[in-house]
């Protein structure tokens, strides 16, 4: 049984994602990502905002009892994002303002390294508040393992030579995804397939749909 802490899993997923961004070529930033309406540069800009959210949440303590955990942190819907939401539409404008991809890389590395360091220093039992939810820091960091892993897949959706997320983080993310949706994806699907097909990032082929059975009729499960 693994004795890794939530911060360890968080750091593994986040470090892999930061390294993948650091290894991108300038022309990769103009490619499509796995997020509807966003290019790679837009997704990297979103990751900067995510890292800021981690830093803000870790210094927003709460005295209240936890209201959510790493599974209930997520809202599950049936409707994939279109990119038309005002906040989603803002991201490409922010990303374009950087102009030079190297500035995006620098800002993400700067803020992202700080977020990783803050996560490792935080007490996992302490309670924090974010988005009107109270949860332990351990649960908050676990929820972000799923966030980082899904966005890693989004980042490399059209970059076949880029490194994939760590297998341990993908396996852990599958478990959290299944907890969030209250359903089990058949074991015949790999962890990556369960996440990509389950969240609508990839359509199942005929064989996979046969294996999915009734749960296939409920796809996709969109996390927000």
């Amino acid at each position: 049984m693994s004795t890794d802490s939530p911060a360890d899993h968080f750091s593994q997923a986040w470090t892999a994602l930061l390294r993948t961004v650091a290894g991108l070529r300038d022309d990769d930033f103009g490619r499509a990502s796995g997020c509807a309406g966003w290019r790679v540069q837009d997704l990297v800009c979103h990751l900067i905002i995510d890292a800021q959210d981690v830093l803000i949440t870790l210094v927003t303590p709460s005295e209240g009892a936890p209201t959510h955990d790493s599974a209930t942190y997520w809202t599950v819907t049936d409707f994939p994002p279109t990119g038309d939401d005002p906040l989603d539409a803002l991201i490409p404008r922010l990303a374009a303002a950087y102009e030079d991809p190297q500035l995006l890389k620098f800002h993400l590395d700067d803020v992202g390294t700080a977020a990783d360091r803050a996560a490792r220093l935080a007490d996992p039992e302490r309670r924090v508040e974010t988005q009107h939810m109270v949860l332990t820091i351990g649960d908050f960091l676990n929820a972000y393992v799923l966030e980082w892993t899904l966005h890693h897949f989004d980042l490399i959706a059209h970059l076949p030579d880029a490194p994939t997320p760590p297998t341990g983080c993908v396996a852990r993310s599958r478990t959290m995804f299944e907890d969030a949706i209250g359903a089990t994806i058949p074991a015949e699907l790999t962890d990556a397939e369960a996440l990509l097909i389950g969240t609508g990032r990839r359509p199942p082929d005929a064989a996979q749909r046969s294996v999915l059975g009734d749960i296939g009729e409920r796809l996709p499960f969109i996390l927000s």
Side-chain angles (χ1 to χ4, degrees), residues 20-218:
T20 300
V21 173
L24 296 178
R25 302 184 301 268
D26 282 2
D27 59 352
D28 290 333
F29 282 76
R31 297 179 186 271
S33 78
C35 297
W38 283 1
R39 293 178 292 174
V40 167
Q41 69 179 29
D42 306 324
L43 177 54
V44 172
C45 184
H46 172 74
L47 294 176
I48 291 170
I49 294 173
D50 266 356
Q52 292 171 339
D53 176 65
V54 169
L55 287 168
I56 291 168
T57 300
L58 291 178
V59 292
T60 307
S62 174
E63 297 302 321
T67 60
H68 294 72
D69 58 22
S70 57
T72 57
Y73 172 88
W74 299 100
T75 299
V76 183
T77 70
D78 301 325
F79 306 103
T82 62
D84 295 329
D85 178 88
L87 184 56
D88 290 345
L90 175 64
I91 294 296
R93 297 199 293 273
L94 289 175
Y98 281 86
E99 296 184 351
D100 184 351
Q102 295 303 317
L103 294 178
L104 268 172
K105 280 187 177 183
F106 173 80
H107 196 183
L108 178 62
D109 181 69
D110 193 35
V111 181
T113 301
D116 185 38
R117 186 165 54 248
R120 287 189 166 279
L121 292 172
D123 177 358
E125 299 301 321
R126 217 178 89 221
R127 296 184 295 276
V128 290
E129 183 172 353
T130 181
Q131 302 177 62
H132 308 295
M133 296 181 284
V134 176
L135 63 169
T136 67
I137 286 177
D139 277 327
F140 175 70
L141 297 180
N142 275 329
Y144 257 95
V145 173
L146 179 53
E147 172 88 354
W148 300 148
T149 300
L150 289 175
H151 278 331
H152 195 140
F153 281 123
D154 291 332
L155 183 75
I156 66 174
H158 301 284
L159 298 170
D161 296 328
T164 56
T167 55
C169 295
V170 177
R172 190 172 184 85
S173 294
R174 179 190 188 148
T175 299
M176 286 191 285
F177 173 64
E178 292 177 335
D179 288 344
I181 65 175
T184 300
I185 306 296
E188 288 87 347
L189 270 66
T190 68
D191 294 331
E193 289 170 343
L195 288 172
L196 293 170
I197 293 171
T199 60
R201 285 168 164 81
R202 177 190 299 170
D205 60 28
Q208 291 165 337
R209 183 160 293 279
S210 176
V211 166
L212 284 165
D214 291 343
I215 199 172
E217 302 303 317
R218 300 170 58 193

